[in-house]
Amino acid sequence: MKPLALTMQAFGPFPTQQSIDFTLLGEHPLFLINGATGAGKTTLLDAISFALYGETTGQDRAGKQMRCDHAADDCTTEVEFTFAIGTKVYRVMRQPTQHVLGQRGNTTVERRTTASLYELRDEWHSGQSSSTMDWHPIETRKVTEVNKFIEGLLGLRAEQFRQVVVLPQGKFRELLNADANERENILSQLFQTQRFKRYEELFKQQAGDLKKAFEKLEQQKAHILEGTECDDLTQLEQQIAELKPRLETQQSALKQLNQQVVDTDYQLKQQHTRNAKSKDLQHARQQQDELHTKQAEIDNKQHRINKAQAAIRLVPAYNDWQQTEVRLNVSRQKQTQLSEEKQQQAKSLTNAEAKLAEARTKLEQSKPLRSTLQRLEELLPTVEQLERLTQQVEQYQSTLVQQEKGGKQLRADYDAAQSELKQLRTEQQQVQTQIDELPELESRTHALSEQRQQLLKKQQLAEQAAVLKKDQAQLQRSLQAKLAHKQQAYNQVNELEQRWLASQAPLLARQLEPQKPCPVCGSTEHPHPAQSDANALVEQHELDKARESYRRAEQAFYDEQTTLAKTSEHERQLTQQLSELADLSEAALEQQETQLNNERKVRTALLNRRQKVQQKLERAEQQRGQLEGQLDHCRSQYAEVKAKHASAQTELENLKQRWQQSDMSVAEVKPRIEELKQQLGQLEQQFEQAQQLTQKQSQQYHATQTQLKAETNEGERLTQALKNAQQTWKAQLSASNFSSDEDFKSAQIDESELKQLSQAVSEHNQRAIELKSTIKELQRYIDDIPPADIEQLTRQLEKLRKDRESEQSRFNHQQSVLLNNEKAVERLQQLAIQNEALEAQYASIGTLANLATGQNSQRLSLHRFILSVLLDDILIVASQHLGQMTHHRYQLVRENEVSDARSASGLNLAVTDAYTGIQRSTKTLSGGESFQAALALALGLSEVVQQYSGGIKLDMLFVDEGFGSLDEQALDAAIDVLANLRASGRSVGIISHVRELKERIDTRIDVHKGQHGSHITTRVNN
């Protein structure tokens, strides 16, 4: 990423729009951002970070807190940052949440945070206004989408950006001064290594799950064996082998019993069935006798059925005769009706023809009216032209009157606008005079802020001193306890040493030989050699253990003593700082702040009033110009309308003179034309109506005549048809068994009755056939089965069933045991397979879990191992920079000692001093050396994070403050390190107010602090 331009407005201490063109600083420059304390140097970094991520570099200042107090109410707080990635140029614009003037100008409304991102479609040109370039919008509504796109473009999140590009004031020392656990959190967030932590938990969980699964398998195995009478799988398989032949013998005996039960049960059922069939046979013969008694009644019903069926065959001829007679009567009635209608329609036709002749005569007599209408229509264009001209003259006359009134009003408005302009200019001068006479607020506000900071610092120091006093008391008690523990350990070591020395004499005595010198005293005589005491014996390892315990107690005492001394010194320094602070009163500060707020409100009110007066003045000048243009336009329109009025008036007079030769006034022409048209239209309408009526009556007459003729023909046809139908009926009646019409009618019965008679006869005959067949079948069944003793068969069947149930119960029990054991064997074999699979899985998963969670020789987890590798990469780069700044004296290294597994082993930092060859803690470095180490570590971290962020090339680095703690030689070395970064294609910006840097670096951005805010100038070394 390469910065191109930055524009801020009403942001931080900058009340107006300030712009920086980074391309003017040169190709990969080393430049200084210089300015007094509080001028707004760090605000430039805040603006870049806020434009990209919506966050400032310090994180303790929100975007909505960055609005400039000196900005005008109508000035919007916004930041615009243009940057390049490769050949593509992007522009991001962002506005924080802020209160702005509403549309009416008298109230403020809250405007929410906005963000927009654009991509340049053409080439970037330094100095060209961004508004004239072709920007393609990428996202202009959703702030979160802009943030995601920026992170994707840069490959960095906000916290990574602050470590890689912007090294904010006091923040880049965090990694150097942090303890191992804090350093683990910092590196984990920067490199997003939490996934390795999740891997550790995953491996640990999987190993635990495998252990639980193995325990569950063992529980299932024990539960399965509990359901059997065996202790293991082998005993279970042996029991199964013994049960199988025993079950086969029982099954064969049970099968024979089953067959005997079936045979006996069959014989018993046959006898019961034979007895039931005998009863059924007797009942069937009784029903057959009852049917024979009803045979005469059935024959009578069959005779009625035969006569009714014969009558049905004659019904069509009889119905044809009757229906033809009815149709003939209907036809004769219709002929009479149509004849009467024909006579009535003939009279109506005669009347209609008379009216048509009368209407034709009146129409032929209307020719003089048509001639008059034609003559009047020829005069109509002249009449319309007279009316149009009359209307135009009246309109022009009305327009002239209105324009005269409008001109007078415009002149009055113009004079009023001139007067208002004069008053507003006077008011503007008065307001500006009042603003110029107001006292200066910026320095007093800054002084009050410093006093508040001193008061807050005093309160914080007092709280810290109170806490330190409590800590001192606690440390004193702890020191006394550690002293007692040290003395106790010393006494124990002294006692063990005495006992150990005493136990050495018997050992030497056992080695003494007569007439040979003692190795202690040299005597050749040994009258009283030392005797060993079992209670006094002390082993060497016991003595060493006691000495080590004393050494730890002594070290703990000295450490506690050092901590107490440091705490006392810190408490003394706090007391001295409290005494140096002036007595500050909260009430006095509140009074000063109230006075400043009142003066600030007066200034704000005057500024708002000046702005409103300026706006009114601009509107008044604009209104005067508009009124002046309206006056000129009104004059030209008046002259034009006046000329048109004169022309129309002349033409109207000429037409009126020509019309005076006519015998009719202009007003009478159009009404007379309408009257003539109405009279002619009525005559034509009457003729058309008479013609239509005549035609309608004629059509009705001829239609009726046609219907009457057709109906007469139909009557003649029906008369002949009736004669034929009557002859057909008489012939069929004579050929039947019926003697007369009455005999035929009496034989007819309705369909439902015929159906009932037929059904009764059919059911009687069918029942007789069924009974005959049933009796035959029952007799044959009874004859085929010989009789037997039912009671004897019943007793025999009950005995067989009891024997079978007893045998079945024994068989079922043995079979249940066998099945249960076979299922247990099958389940145990499955569990054995699962157990082997679990053991295979745990062989790999368990090993991974132990390695990943730190249960190894190094006691180093996977996450900490990854972070240690990343830290080594950072330290390699950082040591190169630190060596250059310290003339190769110091080198940053990582301590490789194995510490408590509960702490971040392998992440502790140290420095190797080439002058002494000793590796020591970074906390032993001086203030300047600490800054050099922190800067080197920050530069190393910046480069390594960039390498691990997808290969995104970041061409700019900002370093904020810290150079004041360096001497001249160290300062030159630090600048050389930063200058060497230019060789890798990076531009470096240093934010500092140190005078030596201003003398060494010519290319700089100066931030000037003023009473009404700050502004920026750029200085380039040519």
Side-chain angles (χ1 to χ4, degrees):
M1 182 196 75
K2 179 179 181 181
L4 299 177
L6 174 66
T7 300
M8 303 170 291
Q9 179 175 285
F11 190 81
F14 304 105
T16 59
Q17 189 179 85
Q18 301 293 316
S19 299
I20 300 175
D21 188 348
F22 290 102
T23 60
L24 298 178
L25 302 178
E27 189 70 20
H28 311 310
L30 173 64
F31 62 93
L32 176 67
I33 301 176
N34 179 63
T37 301
K41 303 184 296 297
T42 305
T43 305
L44 302 184
L45 305 187
D46 289 336
I48 294 175
S49 179
F50 176 74
L52 292 172
Y53 297 99
E55 301 177 9
T56 60
T57 57
Q59 291 183 288
D60 51 356
R61 299 185 300 275
K64 62 182 180 180
Q65 296 174 328
M66 296 302 295
R67 178 168 176 79
C68 181
D69 294 335
H70 300 287
D73 291 341
D74 61 345
C75 186
T76 304
T77 300
E78 60 184 2
V79 178
E80 176 183 329
F81 182 51
T82 306
F83 58 95
I85 296 181
T87 59
K88 294 184 177 181
V89 178
Y90 300 91
R91 180 178 66 163
V92 59
M93 296 187 295
R94 200 181 291 263
Q95 294 181 355
T97 300
Q98 55 190 303
H99 288 82
V100 297
L101 282 176
Q103 295 182 350
R104 297 184 178 180
N106 55 1
T107 58
T108 59
V109 296
E110 184 181 65
R111 180 181 294 172
R112 306 297 295 172
T113 301
T114 62
S116 303
L117 181 63
Y118 301 87
E119 180 181 352
L120 185 63
R121 289 296 179 85
D122 51 11
E123 294 184 1
W124 167 267
H125 298 287
S126 177
Q128 182 181 354
S129 174
S130 61
S131 60
T132 62
M133 300 181 185
D134 183 14
W135 295 101
H136 171 67
I138 297 175
E139 178 58 54
T140 59
R141 292 188 299 175
K142 296 182 179 179
V143 176
T144 54
E145 293 299 323
V146 172
N147 294 344
K148 291 180 181 178
F149 200 89
I150 289 293
E151 290 182 4
L153 280 176
L154 301 184
L156 299 173
R157 298 177 306 282
E159 60 271 15
Q160 291 178 314
F161 182 81
R162 285 191 288 271
Q163 289 286 349
V164 174
V165 178
V166 178
L167 307 182
Q169 188 173 6
K171 293 293 182 180
F172 65 91
R173 295 175 184 256
E174 290 180 351
L175 188 62
L176 179 70
N177 298 330
D179 59 24
N181 290 324
E182 292 174 348
R183 190 172 293 113
E184 179 182 9
N185 293 332
I186 294 172
L187 294 175
S188 177
Q189 291 178 0
L190 284 175
F191 292 98
Q192 289 294 289
T193 58
Q194 293 88 346
R195 63 184 183 277
F196 297 105
K197 197 73 174 178
R198 292 193 293 270
Y199 292 156
E200 294 178 12
E201 297 298 330
L202 177 62
F203 291 145
K204 184 177 180 180
Q205 181 180 357
Q206 289 180 349
D209 292 343
L210 288 174
K211 286 184 178 179
K212 291 179 181 178
F214 181 77
E215 293 172 357
K216 185 177 180 181
L217 287 180
E218 291 297 320
Q219 293 175 359
Q220 291 177 355
K221 180 179 177 181
H223 179 70
I224 291 170
L225 290 174
E226 285 177 3
T228 65
E229 298 177 356
C230 303
D231 297 331
D232 53 27
L233 180 60
T234 303
Q235 187 176 357
L236 194 61
E237 291 175 343
Q238 183 178 357
Q239 188 181 54
I240 291 172
E242 294 174 356
L243 280 174
K244 284 184 176 180
R246 193 185 308 164
L247 279 174
E248 291 177 358
T249 303
Q250 289 180 348
Q251 188 175 17
S252 177
L254 184 62
K255 189 174 183 181
Q256 292 178 1
L257 279 174
N258 274 332
Q259 187 60 43
Q260 292 176 8
V261 169
V262 170
D263 294 343
T264 305
D265 184 59
Y266 180 73
Q267 292 177 13
L268 183 60
K269 287 180 179 178
Q270 274 189 331
Q271 292 301 317
H272 284 298
T273 303
R274 185 178 186 282
N275 294 340
K277 296 289 186 182
S278 297
K279 292 180 181 179
D280 291 341
L281 177 61
Q282 184 179 359
H283 181 66
R285 285 175 175 167
Q286 290 177 358
Q287 289 182 345
Q288 190 178 40
D289 294 339
E290 291 176 359
L291 285 178
H292 289 160
T293 61
K294 296 180 181 179
Q295 187 62 43
E297 181 182 352
I298 294 300
D299 292 340
N300 185 29
K301 289 181 179 181
Q302 184 64 49
H303 177 68
R304 290 188 61 193
I305 290 172
N306 294 337
K307 288 195 68 175
Q309 289 176 348
I312 290 173
R313 289 192 291 271
L314 296 179
V315 165
Y318 180 78
N319 289 341
D320 185 35
W321 171 41
Q322 295 296 320
Q323 291 173 3
T324 302
E325 187 174 7
V326 171
R327 288 198 298 270
L328 179 59
N329 293 332
V330 171
S331 178
R332 288 172 179 169
Q333 292 175 0
K334 196 172 182 180
Q335 289 177 27
T336 303
Q337 181 182 355
L338 288 173
S339 179
E340 293 174 355
E341 289 179 0
K342 179 181 176 184
Q343 293 177 1
Q344 185 64 34
Q345 290 172 356
K347 293 179 181 179
S348 299
L349 179 59
T350 303
N351 294 333
E353 289 175 346
K355 290 180 180 179
L356 178 60
E358 182 182 357
R360 184 180 290 109
T361 302
K362 290 181 179 180
L363 187 60
E364 291 175 353
Q365 293 175 356
S366 64
K367 290 182 179 179
L369 293 178
R370 293 185 184 278
S371 300
T372 303
L373 176 61
Q374 183 177 1
R375 182 174 60 82
L376 291 176
E377 286 178 343
E378 291 174 355
L379 295 175
L380 190 58
T382 303
V383 172
E384 291 176 349
Q385 187 176 8
L386 280 168
E387 292 177 347
R388 179 177 55 79
L389 287 173
T390 302
Q391 186 178 5
Q392 284 182 357
V393 169
E394 292 175 353
Q395 289 177 351
Y396 288 149
Q397 184 65 35
S398 176
T399 302
L400 288 173
V401 173
Q402 292 177 358
Q403 287 182 346
E404 288 176 357
K405 292 180 180 179
K408 292 178 181 179
Q409 182 63 42
L410 284 174
R411 186 64 192 179
D413 293 342
Y414 179 79
D415 295 339
Q418 284 281 45
S419 177
E420 184 182 3
L421 273 174
K422 185 176 180 181
Q423 293 177 0
L424 288 172
R425 290 194 179 100
T426 303
E427 185 180 358
Q428 186 183 35
Q429 293 175 357
Q430 294 174 353
V431 173
Q432 186 61 45
T433 302
Q434 292 176 359
I435 293 174
D436 295 338
E437 293 175 355
L438 289 174
E440 190 271 335
L441 293 177
E442 183 67 24
S443 60
R444 294 164 62 197
T445 302
H446 184 66
L448 179 61
S449 176
E450 290 181 348
Q451 289 179 359
R452 279 203 171 278
Q453 292 178 358
Q454 289 181 357
L455 179 61
L456 179 61
K457 183 177 180 181
K458 180 180 178 182
Q459 295 172 349
Q460 293 175 346
L461 290 175
E463 294 175 357
Q464 293 177 10
V467 172
L468 285 175
K469 286 182 180 179
K470 293 181 181 179
D471 293 344
Q472 272 185 296
Q474 185 176 358
L475 286 171
Q476 287 283 2
R477 293 191 295 271
S478 177
L479 186 64
Q480 293 296 328
K482 284 182 170 54
L483 178 61
H485 181 61
K486 171 192 167 191
Q487 187 63 39
Q488 181 181 359
Y490 173 76
N491 294 336
Q492 185 178 4
V493 169
N494 191 27
E495 179 186 355
L496 289 175
E497 285 179 344
Q498 295 297 328
R499 290 170 58 191
W500 183 81
L501 291 173
S503 65
Q504 297 304 306
L507 294 176
L508 293 173
R510 286 198 296 268
Q511 298 176 2
L512 293 176
E513 297 179 6
Q515 305 304 319
K516 288 187 178 181
C518 174
V520 178
C521 63
S523 174
T524 57
E525 295 180 359
H526 317 295
H528 301 290
Q531 300 296 323
S532 62
D533 185 0
N535 295 327
L537 290 177
V538 175
E539 298 292 339
Q540 180 68 38
H541 69 87
E542 293 179 343
L543 181 60
D544 293 340
K545 184 178 179 180
R547 287 172 177 170
E548 177 62 23
S549 177
Y550 170 70
R551 187 191 65 77
R552 290 198 299 269
E554 185 180 31
Q555 183 63 39
F557 171 75
Y558 289 138
D559 291 344
E560 194 75 11
Q561 195 175 39
T562 302
T563 303
L564 179 60
K566 290 181 179 179
T567 304
S568 300
E569 176 63 20
H570 190 191
E571 194 269 338
R572 185 191 64 77
Q573 293 175 358
L574 289 179
T575 305
Q576 183 179 357
Q577 292 178 12
L578 281 172
S579 64
E580 294 174 355
L581 291 174
D583 292 334
L584 298 174
S585 171
E586 181 70 27
L589 292 180
E590 291 291 341
Q591 184 177 1
Q592 292 181 32
E593 187 171 6
T594 301
Q595 183 179 356
L596 283 174
N597 288 335
N598 292 335
E599 293 178 4
R600 192 177 289 110
K601 290 179 181 178
V602 172
R603 174 183 291 275
T604 302
L606 288 174
L607 289 173
N608 291 337
R609 183 182 172 192
R610 182 182 66 180
Q611 182 180 1
K612 292 179 180 179
V613 170
Q614 179 64 31
Q615 293 174 351
K616 289 181 180 179
L617 188 62
E618 292 174 356
R619 288 196 297 268
E621 290 178 349
Q622 183 180 4
Q623 185 179 9
R624 184 187 64 176
Q626 292 175 351
L627 289 172
E628 195 169 3
Q630 291 175 2
L631 275 173
D632 294 339
H633 182 66
C634 183
R635 292 189 188 100
S636 62
Q637 277 190 336
Y638 182 81
E640 180 181 356
V641 172
K642 192 171 183 180
K644 291 181 178 179
H645 175 264
S647 175
Q649 184 68 35
T650 302
E651 186 177 358
L652 178 61
E653 292 298 332
N654 294 334
L655 279 176
K656 284 182 178 179
Q657 291 178 3
R658 291 201 301 270
W659 183 263
Q660 290 177 357
Q661 300 174 4
S662 176
D663 57 350
M664 185 179 295
S665 66
V666 175
E668 294 175 349
V669 173
K670 286 187 177 180
R672 181 57 179 163
I673 290 175
E674 292 300 324
E675 181 183 356
L676 292 174
K677 286 183 177 179
Q678 187 175 3
Q679 291 178 2
L680 290 173
Q682 290 177 352
L683 292 175
E684 291 175 351
Q685 184 179 7
Q686 290 174 0
F687 176 76
E688 185 176 354
Q689 291 176 350
Q691 194 174 25
Q692 292 176 354
L693 179 60
T694 303
Q695 185 178 2
K696 180 180 178 182
Q697 292 295 334
S698 176
Q699 291 175 350
Q700 291 179 351
Y701 175 78
H702 290 96
T704 303
Q705 188 177 15
T706 302
Q707 291 178 3
L708 179 59
K709 185 177 180 181
E711 197 61 40
T712 301
N713 294 335
E714 179 65 15
E716 294 175 356
R717 187 188 66 77
L718 288 174
T719 301
Q720 183 61 39
L722 178 61
K723 183 178 180 181
N724 295 336
Q726 188 174 13
Q727 293 175 355
T728 301
W729 162 247
K730 295 296 182 180
Q732 291 185 4
L733 183 63
S734 300
S736 67
N737 294 327
F738 298 107
S739 59
S740 63
D741 294 348
E742 287 74 14
D743 188 17
F744 162 75
K745 292 177 181 180
S746 63
Q748 286 183 322
I749 58 176
D750 55 28
E751 186 176 356
S752 60
E753 185 180 359
L754 178 62
K755 187 175 181 181
Q756 291 176 358
L757 293 173
S758 300
Q759 184 175 359
V761 172
S762 176
E763 289 176 354
H764 179 273
N765 296 334
Q766 182 66 28
R767 183 60 179 158
I769 295 171
E770 290 175 355
L771 285 174
K772 184 178 181 180
S773 175
T774 300
I775 291 171
K776 183 178 180 181
E777 289 294 327
L778 289 173
Q779 187 64 50
R780 183 182 60 79
Y781 185 85
I782 292 171
D783 295 341
D784 291 342
I785 298 175
D789 188 352
I790 292 179
E791 293 181 0
Q792 182 181 356
L793 288 174
T794 301
R795 289 192 299 271
Q796 182 181 353
L797 179 61
E798 289 176 357
K799 182 179 182 303
L800 288 171
R801 282 176 175 172
K802 288 179 180 180
D803 294 343
R804 184 184 65 178
E805 288 175 1
S806 177
E807 189 68 25
Q808 184 70 49
S809 176
R810 289 193 297 272
F811 176 80
N812 289 343
H813 174 69
Q814 296 294 330
Q815 189 179 41
S816 175
V817 172
L818 177 62
L819 291 175
N820 183 52
N821 290 350
E822 288 177 343
K823 289 181 180 179
V825 168
E826 181 182 0
R827 184 62 182 142
L828 288 173
Q829 290 174 348
Q830 293 176 354
L831 292 178
I833 296 173
Q834 295 178 14
N835 192 26
E836 292 177 1
L838 288 176
E839 289 177 352
Q841 292 180 18
Y842 190 78
S844 57
I845 296 298
T847 304
L848 283 175
N850 292 335
L851 290 174
T853 56
Q855 298 179 24
N856 48 60
S857 60
Q858 296 294 323
R859 300 220 308 264
L860 191 63
S861 67
L862 172 64
H863 184 234
R864 294 171 189 168
F865 171 74
I866 297 297
L867 292 180
S868 67
V869 173
L870 293 172
L871 184 58
D872 287 341
D873 292 343
I874 295 170
L875 295 179
I876 292 172
V877 180
S879 294
Q880 296 174 358
H881 295 309
L882 182 59
Q884 186 176 354
M885 285 188 281
T886 61
H887 302 287
H888 303 288
R889 177 181 179 182
Y890 292 117
Q891 181 180 7
L892 287 167
V893 295
R894 180 173 59 85
E895 293 181 355
N896 290 318
E897 80 284 355
V898 178
S899 60
D900 188 354
R902 291 172 294 180
S903 65
S905 302
L907 297 182
N908 293 314
L909 293 183
V911 291
T912 300
D913 191 342
Y915 292 177
T916 63
I918 297 175
Q919 178 178 306
R920 51 191 173 95
S921 171
T922 56
K923 296 180 180 179
T924 62
L925 297 173
S926 67
E929 292 171 340
S930 178
F931 170 76
Q932 289 175 326
L935 177 60
L937 189 60
L939 294 176
L941 178 63
S942 173
E943 295 182 26
V944 173
V945 169
Q946 189 176 175
Q947 293 171 5
Y948 282 90
S949 298
I952 298 297
K953 189 174 187 300
L954 302 171
D955 301 322
M956 182 69 76
L957 175 67
F958 292 96
V959 183
D960 191 359
E961 295 295 353
F963 294 90
S965 59
L966 304 180
D967 57 22
E968 183 176 359
Q969 186 178 10
L971 182 62
D972 288 337
I975 293 176
D976 290 341
V977 170
L978 295 175
N980 288 338
L981 294 178
R982 300 172 59 191
S984 61
R986 300 184 77 176
S987 302
V988 181
I990 301 175
I991 299 178
S992 179
H993 61 277
V994 177
R995 183 179 301 275
E996 289 79 359
L997 286 174
K998 189 174 181 181
E999 294 173 355
R1000 285 172 169 80
I1001 302 175
D1002 295 329
T1003 302
R1004 64 176 184 261
I1005 297 173
D1006 292 327
V1007 183
H1008 305 279
K1009 180 179 179 182
Q1011 181 179 356
H1012 302 294
S1014 301
H1015 67 279
I1016 297 172
T1017 58
T1018 305
R1019 176 177 176 179
V1020 181
N1021 181 17
N1022 296 323

